[in-house]
Amino acid sequence: MAQADDHHDGVFVVFEGIDGAGTTTQSQRYAAWLRARRRLAHVTREPSGGPMGSLLRLVITQRVSLPATHRDAAMALLFAADRLDHVESEINPHLRDGYVVISDRYDLSSVIYQSMSGADEGPERTAFAAWIRDCNRYARRPDVTVVLDVSPEVAAQRRRNRGGASELFEEAELQAKLARAYLKAEEILPGDRIVHVDGDADVDAVAAAVIEALAPFVKEGP
Ligand code: TYD
């Protein structure tokens, strides 16, 4: 985490939310804002661009299928492995060089997406979510996570506008469940620093709210 007196320290920021919440747009907007203030910023995302992340993208776009039995567990394991590789190969080196590293999704996505797309609410799902957290035990903690809270309807409209091939988790009922889970993100990752931003507004208004929410955690450049 950046010290008040040293703006060269790296800061690890994560953006989270349902599909269409605006994590990609807002990651890029925030990085541009930082760069304009002479702060080094590096945007990355999960699944990462590494070998395991590339495999995961094929699964998400439904060009590769995993065995149906325990598919969510297999996905969680692949995401966790991709994450460790991502931290070591890309996130840590940039943090060491003093960048603000902005990751479009991290392990909150794993706990929410993989646990919600399987078991119904109840002890089984709670245990599965705890197991996913445990799989990510060695993943570096973000300095701060921004959850973009959007209504499922707004997010669905954005996905329609964006077009493209249909993805694995796009079903409306699932997205509504995911949105409710994101509202309670701090219960899912207790101990993490999490800020919520209302993501329903237009892009500029959300970008301004993100800047304000992150101001206590990220110093501008010299
Ligand atoms: P992507 O096309 O990048 O979606 P978005 O632009 O909305 O982030 O695909 C990422 C998908 O992968 C998204 O549906 C969320 C899902 N995902 C998981 O299920 N678990 C995870 O751990 C991560 C990082 C992503």
Side-chain angles (χ1 to χ4, degrees):
M1 156 107 218
Q3 303 296 304
D5 57 343
D6 183 0
H7 42 240
H8 295 295
D9 279 0
V11 186
F12 182 22
V13 179
V14 168
F15 280 79
E16 285 279 359
I18 63 172
D19 295 87
T23 56
T24 306
T25 306
Q26 294 300 335
S27 297
Q28 280 157 2
R29 286 286 299 255
Y30 186 60
W33 185 86
L34 286 172
R35 290 184 192 118
R37 279 148 193 83
R38 293 189 293 157
R39 184 84 219 241
L40 293 171
H42 176 74
V43 179
T44 184
R45 65 175 183 166
E46 291 193 355
S48 78
M52 287 169 277
S54 306
L55 172 60
L56 278 161
R57 287 210 176 270
L58 293 174
V59 176
I60 288 163
T61 51
Q62 308 185 73
R63 278 172 286 174
V64 163
S65 61
L66 296 175
T69 318
H70 305 307
R71 192 193 65 179
D72 297 315
M75 290 280 279
L77 291 167
L78 283 172
F79 273 116
D82 178 45
R83 191 157 295 125
L84 292 180
D85 179 48
H86 188 205
V87 169
E88 181 144 327
S89 65
E90 190 170 349
I91 295 173
N92 279 346
H94 281 92
L95 289 172
R96 277 196 293 271
D97 286 345
Y99 280 77
V100 179
V101 176
I102 301 164
S103 186
D104 179 355
R105 301 189 177 281
Y106 199 61
D107 64 350
L108 186 56
S109 282
S110 283
V111 183
I112 290 185
Y113 276 76
Q114 272 62 62
S115 74
M116 293 283 160
S117 48
D120 289 334
E121 194 153 7
E124 204 182 315
R125 185 197 277 169
T126 308
F128 188 45
W131 176 76
I132 298 170
R133 269 202 311 274
D134 219 32
C135 289
N136 288 280
R137 179 196 313 190
Y138 301 114
R140 179 186 185 123
R141 296 323 304 153
D143 291 307
V144 57
T145 296
V146 181
V147 175
L148 299 173
D149 289 311
V150 291
S151 71
E153 295 75 25
V154 168
Q157 187 56 51
R158 287 182 189 160
R159 292 199 301 277
R160 278 194 291 276
N161 295 347
R162 179 164 80 191
S166 78
E167 293 190 353
L168 202 57
F169 303 113
E170 281 194 340
E171 199 253 315
E173 210 176 301
L174 173 60
Q175 288 292 322
K177 269 203 282 184
L178 300 176
R180 284 196 294 278
Y182 271 114
L183 287 173
K184 295 199 230 160
E186 30 289 285
E187 288 174 24
I188 297 168
L189 293 177
D192 272 19
R193 210 174 280 115
I194 294 173
V195 294
H196 287 264
V197 168
D198 177 359
D200 274 347
D202 66 75
V203 175
D204 289 342
V206 177
V210 165
I211 290 164
E212 200 185 324
L214 287 175
F217 307 102
V218 185
K219 298 286 160 259
E220 295 177 26

